[in-house]
Amino acid sequence: MVPILLSIATFLSTLCGGLTGLKNKDRMHRFLGYTAGVLLGVVAFDLLPEIFSILREQNRSATGAMVALVCGFLVFHIIEKSILIHHTNEAEYEVHHHPHVGVASALALSGHSFLDGVGIGLGFQAGTSVGIAVAIAVIAHDFTDGLNTVNLMLLNNNRSPKAFMFLLLDALAPVLGVLSTMLFSVSGIGLTLYLGFFAGFLLYIGASEILPEAHSQHSSYKTIGLTILGAIFMFAVTRFA
């Protein structure tokens, strides 16, 4: 019951983040700058340390997890660029945004949120204290997950109602993830491969999508500061968890 209650908290956190993005479209570049810092912090202070910790316990090489990281980066790159390929000239391409890219990004983030819920459920399989610690970290950054979902949809010319629909999907995903762990468990090596793949995905959308867009028309020291603040926030969250 406790994991399910905590997953409901992730639903509310995600929903609040997305609604914040919908109501502050004119300040989206600020949110994007902050989001990029959060994504960097998740990879550097949460995912990679967890991978290396598991590998040390199992006395395994990091090669597999790093291959998964590169695959995560390249898979999303290939998906995005396959959607974007067309026969217009380069000048038109640079200023053109595609709704399908926003949908693909939102679906990928919903998949991540589902696995966040899986992480909570598996944490409780390891012990109540571990599960609560994982849930705290997930709830803290799911606000940004909701913000990311809305930002990526709006950034790629999707309308607000459609963005809200995908926000609901992203908010429900952790609840479904927690429920799914009642049916299975994951080995240590499988978990490191997943974490590596997801780290590669986050690095791609942070460095290649969100951060460049944050500075495309509104570059400023304030946006840079928010990126740094986002990374510091995730450092604090991971230390607390």
Side-chain angles (χ1 to χ4, degrees):
M1 180 60 70
V2 174
I4 295 175
L5 291 175
L6 290 172
S7 73
I8 293 173
T10 68
F11 172 88
L12 296 174
S13 178
T14 304
L15 194 62
C16 287
L19 292 175
T20 299
L22 285 172
K23 292 180 178 180
N24 293 274
K25 297 178 187 177
D26 57 330
R27 299 180 181 177
M28 188 185 298
H29 60 286
R30 304 286 191 216
F31 290 119
L32 289 172
Y34 177 79
T35 294
V38 169
L39 295 183
L40 174 62
V42 169
V43 173
F45 306 132
D46 189 2
L47 298 183
L48 291 181
E50 183 65 21
I51 289 171
F52 296 137
S53 175
I54 294 172
L55 292 172
R56 278 197 305 270
E57 291 176 1
Q58 299 181 346
N59 196 27
R60 291 179 179 270
S61 167
T63 302
M66 295 303 100
V67 169
L69 185 149
V70 173
C71 288
F73 189 99
L74 292 178
V75 163
F76 196 79
H77 171 71
I78 292 169
I79 291 173
E80 181 197 37
K81 298 310 176 186
S82 296
I83 294 172
L84 290 176
I85 289 174
H86 49 67
H87 301 290
T88 60
N89 61 47
E90 186 66 18
E92 292 173 335
Y93 177 81
E94 287 177 352
V95 299
H96 197 51
H97 294 285
H98 296 256
H100 294 306
V101 174
V103 171
S105 301
L107 287 175
L109 285 171
S110 296
H112 153 55
S113 294
F114 177 84
L115 292 171
D116 273 348
V118 170
I120 293 174
L122 294 179
F124 275 95
Q125 289 182 18
T128 300
S129 61
V130 175
I132 291 175
V134 171
I136 290 172
V138 169
I139 292 168
H141 81 258
D142 267 7
F143 180 90
T144 306
D145 280 350
L147 192 59
N148 290 346
T149 299
V150 168
N151 283 345
L152 287 169
M153 289 291 290
L154 297 178
L155 174 63
N156 287 284
N157 292 340
N158 289 283
R159 295 182 180 277
S160 295
K162 191 173 184 179
F164 181 73
M165 180 182 70
F166 277 89
L167 171 62
L168 287 178
L169 176 64
D170 188 32
L172 285 170
V175 180
L176 299 176
V178 169
L179 292 174
S180 74
T181 58
M182 298 177 180
L183 305 175
F184 71 94
S185 60
V186 177
S187 65
I189 186 63
L191 184 58
T192 60
L193 292 177
Y194 153 64
L195 291 175
F197 185 89
F198 179 58
F201 159 71
L202 286 186
L203 286 175
Y204 180 81
I205 64 170
S208 299
E209 288 289 324
I210 297 177
L211 198 55
E213 185 63 27
H215 292 276
S216 62
Q217 297 179 356
H218 303 278
S219 188
S220 68
Y221 286 113
K222 183 177 290 187
T223 303
I224 293 172
L226 286 169
T227 301
I228 295 171
L229 182 62
I232 292 173
F233 170 74
M234 278 314 304
F235 178 81
V237 167
T238 54
R239 297 289 80 76
F240 178 72

